[in-house]
Amino acid sequence: MSAVEYDEHESKFMRKAKENPFVPAGMAGCVAIVAYGLFKLKSRGNTKMSVHLIHMRVGAQGFIVGAMTIGVLYSMYQDYVVKPMAEQKALKSK
């Protein structure tokens, strides 16, 4: 990968992160949950490995779904509450 391609991908990621800031938060949370699950792997006791991995996966997926839900709610708030209020204020000031 050349430096130009790297810059294009980096700018694309930053643009997407600005458009939807909860995606990087969801990714970071997923990585944190997986890291915690791997850390707790050695002290899992009698729990089967497959059950431990399933719990870790469910936790990570839950965090991502929660972050996406908050992102959608925030986007709806911006589109249906903040923008109409700003438009009304602009009309009143004319």
Side-chain angles (χ1 to χ4, degrees), residues 66-78:
M68 288 173 56
T69 302
I70 291 171
V72 167
L73 292 174
Y74 177 75
S75 176
M76 288 175 63
Y77 173 75
Q78 291 292 325

Side-chain angles (χ1 to χ4, degrees), residues 57-88:
R57 187 197 78 198
V58 168
Q61 286 176 333
F63 190 89
I64 291 173
V65 168
M68 288 173 56
T69 302
I70 291 171
V72 167
L73 292 174
Y74 177 75
S75 176
M76 288 175 63
Y77 173 75
Q78 291 292 325
D79 290 342
Y80 296 110
V81 176
V82 175
K83 284 184 183 177
M85 291 175 77
E87 290 172 358
Q88 286 179 355

Side-chain angles (χ1 to χ4, degrees), residues 6-94:
Y6 180 76
D7 288 341
E8 289 175 1
H9 290 296
E10 183 180 358
S11 64
K12 182 178 179 181
F13 178 76
M14 294 306 291
R15 182 173 38 88
K16 292 289 185 180
K18 287 179 184 176
E19 290 173 4
N20 198 353
F22 292 96
V23 171
M27 291 170 55
C30 179
V31 169
I33 290 172
V34 169
Y36 177 74
L38 292 174
F39 176 73
K40 296 298 279 183
L41 187 63
K42 61 184 172 187
S43 63
R44 62 186 159 94
N46 291 338
T47 308
K48 286 183 170 183
M49 172 75 87
S50 62
V51 173
H52 180 75
L53 293 175
I54 288 170
H55 288 166
M56 187 172 57
R57 187 197 78 198
V58 168
Q61 286 176 333
F63 190 89
I64 291 173
V65 168
M68 288 173 56
T69 302
I70 291 171
V72 167
L73 292 174
Y74 177 75
S75 176
M76 288 175 63
Y77 173 75
Q78 291 292 325
D79 290 342
Y80 296 110
V81 176
V82 175
K83 284 184 183 177
M85 291 175 77
E87 290 172 358
Q88 286 179 355
K89 285 183 182 180
L91 288 175
K92 287 182 181 179
S93 67
K94 284 185 178 182

